[in-house]
Amino acid sequence: MSDSNTTTFTNPSTFILQGIPGLETAHVWISIPFCVMYIIAILGNFAILFIVKKEHSLHVPMYYFLCMLAVTDLVLSTTTLPKMLAIFWFNSREISFNACLTQMFFIHGFSAIESGIFVAMALDRYVAICHPLRHSTILTSSLVVKIGLVIVLRGSILALPYPILGRQWPYCRSNIILHTHCENMAVVILACADTRISSYYALFVLSCRIGLDVFFITLSYIQILRAIFRLPTKDARLKTFGTCGSHFGAILAFYIPTLFASLTSRFGHNLPLHFHSFISNVYLLVPPMLNPIIYGVRSEQIRDRLLRPFTY
């Protein structure tokens, strides 16, 4: 497709991922921190899965949800990072049309799944703190499985329209995506049709992820704080709130970059293209790297298990 930049086509056979526009000469240097983040994400999340599997004392709802989060982070980072590094190291910019739509589905689907997992973890903290004596009877293993299935189903349903709509549009402007991956809006702007439905749907999904999910998380934490402030001593309040610290840190690490990336993609039209690309990559790469660090540092059980080989 030598004339793909000017020829009218309904579905291009391939897209060209530009990488980080304007910083092509620095791709090799930019790849170093990205590669380090990917390695930390892979090792950290696999470590969490291994520790929870081996330690029977961690076979409780909180750590089941943490395992779901680790798997989601592994999929989310692996969906984008290998291709991104191939662009930076080998100038391998081509991606097939179907592979691009598949990547789009996985990015948006697993982002929605991760958001749902944070809601489930907030529910676990609410039950553990507000109804501690009934925690094991309320959050049974079967209920945890059902919650996990609902989260995966919701994420898949929310993400499915992205590739379906992407396949419908005629593309006649260019097949060059000014990004490191097939981000929905970066693909949609290449279409030569009225794509407002894609923009409206993206806002709907954003309202579900950042609107509804954050609302339920906030509601859970309001009840948690009410229960904490009713505790008789300051030490008891601090100790109880400390059990929520890792979850709260992971929430901030996920939702702040997500919100910032969404707002800049829609309203930051005067910002440089490389800034858009960096922000989008931060929201995909930083949470998978930070989550195992946050839980490894804050969770005494995981921290002790990690340090055990070095304490003998």
Side-chain angles (χ1 to χ4, degrees):
M1 287 187 62
S2 60
D3 299 326
S4 60
N5 295 348
T6 57
T7 304
T8 300
F9 38 78
T10 302
N11 289 338
S13 60
T14 60
F15 281 120
I16 307 297
L17 293 169
Q18 183 71 21
I20 300 180
L23 298 178
E24 288 84 358
T25 57
H27 274 176
V28 172
W29 298 106
I30 294 169
S31 71
I32 295 173
F34 282 19
C35 184
V36 170
M37 285 192 289
Y38 185 49
I39 291 170
I40 294 172
I42 294 293
L43 294 178
N45 286 294
F46 270 119
I48 284 178
L49 292 172
F50 176 79
I51 290 170
V52 174
K53 183 179 185 298
K54 290 293 183 182
E55 294 292 322
H56 291 287
S57 63
L58 301 182
H59 292 182
V60 294
M62 174 183 171
Y63 291 100
Y64 289 149
F65 290 132
L66 182 56
C67 286
M68 295 180 199
L69 183 65
V71 171
T72 302
D73 283 338
L74 286 169
V75 174
L76 201 55
S77 56
T78 303
T79 297
T80 55
L81 254 295
K83 182 60 182 176
M84 195 183 305
L85 293 176
I87 295 170
F88 293 160
W89 291 343
F90 310 114
N91 203 33
S92 177
R93 300 174 185 272
E94 285 195 1
I95 183 170
S96 72
F97 182 71
N98 289 330
C100 185
L101 296 183
T102 302
Q103 187 186 58
M104 186 189 300
F105 171 81
F106 272 86
I107 289 171
H108 292 284
F110 278 87
S111 294
I113 289 170
E114 182 150 346
S115 184
I117 292 170
F118 283 126
V119 176
M121 295 174 90
L123 172 65
D124 172 73
R125 291 297 84 208
Y126 162 74
V127 176
I129 292 172
C130 297
H131 304 284
L133 299 179
R134 299 171 55 202
H135 182 260
S136 59
T137 57
I138 294 174
L139 283 178
T140 60
S141 296
S142 61
L143 181 59
V144 170
V145 170
K146 290 174 184 176
I147 291 172
L149 290 174
V150 169
I151 289 171
V152 172
L153 185 62
R154 186 196 76 147
S156 301
I157 291 172
L158 286 175
L160 193 58
Y162 285 111
I164 291 175
L165 290 170
R167 189 175 290 278
Q168 304 305 312
W169 307 128
Y171 297 88
C172 58
R173 294 173 181 167
S174 173
N175 68 336
I176 298 176
I177 299 173
L178 300 176
H179 226 303
T180 55
H181 56 269
C182 291
E183 198 273 333
N184 177 58
M185 296 309 296
V187 175
V188 166
I189 61 173
L190 302 180
C192 52
D194 186 352
T195 59
R196 281 179 295 180
I197 186 173
S198 284
S199 299
Y200 294 151
Y201 184 73
L203 286 173
F204 166 74
V205 173
L206 184 65
S207 68
C208 287
R209 286 172 50 197
I210 297 185
L212 282 176
D213 289 357
V214 171
F215 170 77
F216 286 120
I217 291 171
T218 304
L219 195 62
S220 295
Y221 269 94
I222 289 172
Q223 299 301 318
I224 288 169
L225 289 173
R226 289 178 61 188
I228 288 174
F229 287 129
R230 285 199 294 265
L231 294 174
T233 65
K234 181 180 179 181
D235 287 343
R237 290 193 291 269
L238 289 174
K239 184 177 180 181
T240 304
F241 187 74
T243 63
C244 303
S246 52
H247 180 236
F248 193 69
I251 286 172
L252 293 178
F254 177 75
Y255 284 108
I256 290 176
T258 299
L259 179 61
F260 198 55
S262 299
L263 291 176
T264 54
S265 68
R266 284 163 179 81
F267 306 112
H269 304 298
N270 296 326
L271 296 172
L273 289 175
H274 63 263
F275 184 81
H276 285 278
S277 187
F278 265 121
I279 292 300
S280 182
N281 288 320
V282 163
Y283 120 76
L284 288 175
L285 306 182
V286 171
M289 177 194 69
L290 285 183
N291 287 338
I293 296 174
I294 291 170
Y295 281 97
V297 170
R298 295 288 304 177
S299 173
E300 185 177 348
Q301 296 95 324
I302 292 178
R303 186 174 66 248
D304 290 347
R305 182 62 179 82
L306 279 172
L307 296 177
R308 189 180 300 170
F310 307 101
T311 56
Y312 291 103

